[in-house]
Amino acid sequence: MRTAPPLLAPSAVMIAVAATVGHFFTDAFTTILGPLGPDLQKMFSLSLTQVAFLSSVMSLTSSVLQPVLGVLTERFDRRLMLALGPTMAGVGLCLMPYMPSFALLVVLVAVAGVGSGILHPSGSAYVSDYSPSHQRGLWASLFSAGGTAGMALGPVLVVVLGVQGLPYLIPVILLIGVGIYFSVPSIHTQKKKATLQEYLNVFKGPIQKLWGMAVLRSLTSIGYNGLLPFLLASRGFGKNEVALSLGIYAIASAIGGIVGGRLSDKYGRVKVLRSSLLGLIPLYILLFYSSPANLWYYPLTFLVGGLTNATIPVGVVAAQEYAPNHVALASSIMMGFSWGVSGLLFTLIGGIADHFGIMPALWVSVFMLIPSMFLVYNLPEPQKPLQK
């Protein structure tokens, strides 16, 4: 009997595209909440505390609770989870202008957050299962870049359509959900339901260290993005320089993730993590003491953004390879859960900035890379699973 060569099935590309498209639109819809803050404040007569509470609800349901949603992804049909992600996120946020009360507004934001929370582990698991074994890092980084691109689209939608025009997107959102549902196969990952202890065991050993690394690295990135406007303002620069700096950083993040994922396929996940983190510390310090008036400032911003985010898809793929039977849960730990905890810890960085100044707060955030580097220093290289 002749055996067919182990070529990548054409349907695998469609599945990866469907997951990436879902990631793109989910992140695009969830990022409209921030720019809509002033409009929602006027429409519903909200206080700034209530506006901030909406963001907290989004962070809780989409990020902090993502491991729980990752478990649901493993226990139910993954195809349904992938299709519901952008549908819930888009419909939930686009219906906000029609809500009669703040309480229902909170419910809609929570629904949208859950949509984001189920999309990330299900999409990442699809990409992991159907990517070629020798390019798993590259495919994961392309999936990650789809979300980064979507985040850039969200504020544009608000500017172009306005808060009253967002409901007109709902038919498009439903078509996206249906298209994704029929583009991927139905997958029930577990014939026998895993126990709670089995799920808890995933968050042990190498994955626990990877998660700690991701939290501290994300705290450095969040610290930079959150404090940069205040740092540049204190040096006499305005919104244009801030927007250009953050824009270049975001573009570099997407490109850096793709490069990091591909390099990890060739040289190993742990090697890329170690080298990226080690090189970041002096570069961040140099960036903090530079300004848009310096010729090297924007190229340096690009380099720092690329190196920082080169570790994101690499960490996710490493976790999937450490826990091949629970790729959705491993993905959720490395994605939403780490980002959510970092967001909560940023409050401490803000407190340091209030009491000691912007520069000491930035120093604390960049020094989080030191323990982050030690956490991955002795990690074993994960074993690449065979092509499914």
Side-chain angles (χ1 to χ4, degrees):
M1 180 183 297
R2 189 173 64 180
T3 303
L7 295 176
L8 183 64
S11 60
V13 176
M14 181 183 294
I15 292 165
V17 169
T20 303
V21 167
H23 194 192
F24 174 85
F25 283 105
T26 300
D27 282 11
F29 293 132
T30 52
T31 51
I32 69 175
L33 182 61
L36 283 178
D39 294 303
L40 295 174
Q41 184 183 26
K42 293 177 183 177
M43 292 176 66
F44 295 92
S45 301
L46 304 180
S47 65
L48 289 177
T49 301
Q50 288 174 308
V51 173
F53 180 70
L54 291 175
S55 296
S56 298
V57 170
M58 174 64 76
S59 178
L60 175 67
T61 54
S62 66
S63 299
V64 179
L65 294 181
Q66 201 171 117
V68 177
L69 301 174
V71 170
L72 293 178
T73 298
E74 294 193 347
R75 298 179 74 91
F76 296 97
D77 189 353
R78 190 186 293 165
R79 175 170 68 170
L80 180 62
M81 300 292 105
L82 186 68
L84 281 176
T87 305
M88 293 173 65
V91 172
L93 291 174
C94 289
L95 283 177
M96 288 191 297
Y98 291 97
M99 290 302 101
S101 67
F102 176 69
L104 289 176
L105 194 63
V106 171
V107 171
L108 272 187
V109 171
V111 168
V114 170
S116 175
I118 62 176
L119 178 283
H120 287 86
S122 59
S124 186
Y126 266 115
V127 172
S128 173
D129 285 347
Y130 286 90
S131 58
S133 58
H134 64 287
Q135 291 184 333
R136 191 163 276 116
L138 174 62
W139 282 46
S141 64
L142 292 172
F143 172 76
S144 178
T148 304
M151 292 172 68
L153 175 65
V156 175
L157 291 175
V158 174
V159 172
V160 173
L161 297 175
V163 65
Q164 297 293 347
L166 290 174
Y168 294 109
L169 289 174
I170 291 178
V172 178
I173 295 166
L174 296 177
L175 284 175
I176 292 169
V178 171
I180 290 173
Y181 184 83
F182 287 106
S183 298
V184 298
S186 177
I187 294 182
H188 294 271
T189 57
Q190 296 175 1
K191 294 180 180 179
K192 181 182 177 182
K193 302 298 183 184
T195 63
L196 176 61
Q197 187 59 49
E198 186 176 342
Y199 287 130
L200 293 175
N201 287 339
V202 174
F203 189 57
K204 286 184 177 179
I207 290 184
Q208 193 174 68
K209 292 183 178 181
L210 270 178
W211 174 81
M213 176 277 298
V215 169
L216 296 174
R217 177 215 56 216
S218 297
L219 186 57
T220 299
S221 182
I222 292 172
Y224 168 77
N225 280 275
L227 296 177
L228 181 69
F230 301 98
L231 179 65
L232 292 186
S234 68
R235 295 174 178 174
F237 295 96
K239 292 182 179 179
N240 291 339
E241 289 83 3
V242 171
L244 183 57
S245 299
L246 295 180
I248 290 173
Y249 187 91
I251 293 170
S253 300
I255 296 173
I258 295 172
V259 174
R262 188 68 189 107
L263 290 176
S264 75
D265 289 328
K266 295 182 67 175
Y267 302 109
R269 318 294 183 209
V270 176
K271 286 182 180 178
V272 171
L273 291 174
R274 289 173 187 162
S275 56
S276 298
L277 294 170
L278 179 63
L280 274 173
I281 296 174
L283 291 176
Y284 260 115
I285 293 173
L286 178 59
L287 184 59
F288 293 159
Y289 285 97
S290 303
S291 77
N294 301 125
L295 186 62
W296 64 83
Y297 174 78
Y298 290 116
L300 180 60
T301 298
F302 185 90
L303 180 59
V304 169
L307 272 177
T308 302
N309 291 277
T311 61
I312 293 179
V314 179
V316 173
V317 175
Q320 292 170 344
E321 292 172 346
Y322 283 134
N325 295 324
H326 297 284
V327 292
L329 178 57
S331 302
S332 67
I333 290 171
M334 291 302 297
M335 297 171 76
F337 190 44
S338 66
W339 301 334
V341 172
S342 299
L344 295 175
L345 291 176
F346 178 61
T347 304
L348 300 178
I349 300 296
I352 294 172
D354 278 334
H355 289 87
F356 301 101
I358 301 298
M359 192 57 72
L362 286 170
W363 274 90
V364 171
S365 67
V366 77
F367 279 144
M368 292 298 101
L369 292 172
I370 296 176
S372 179
M373 187 173 57
F374 278 109
L375 284 170
V376 300
Y377 185 76
N378 291 319
L379 279 179
E381 184 65 30
Q383 221 173 7
K384 296 180 181 180
L386 297 175
Q387 182 68 42
K388 297 185 179 181

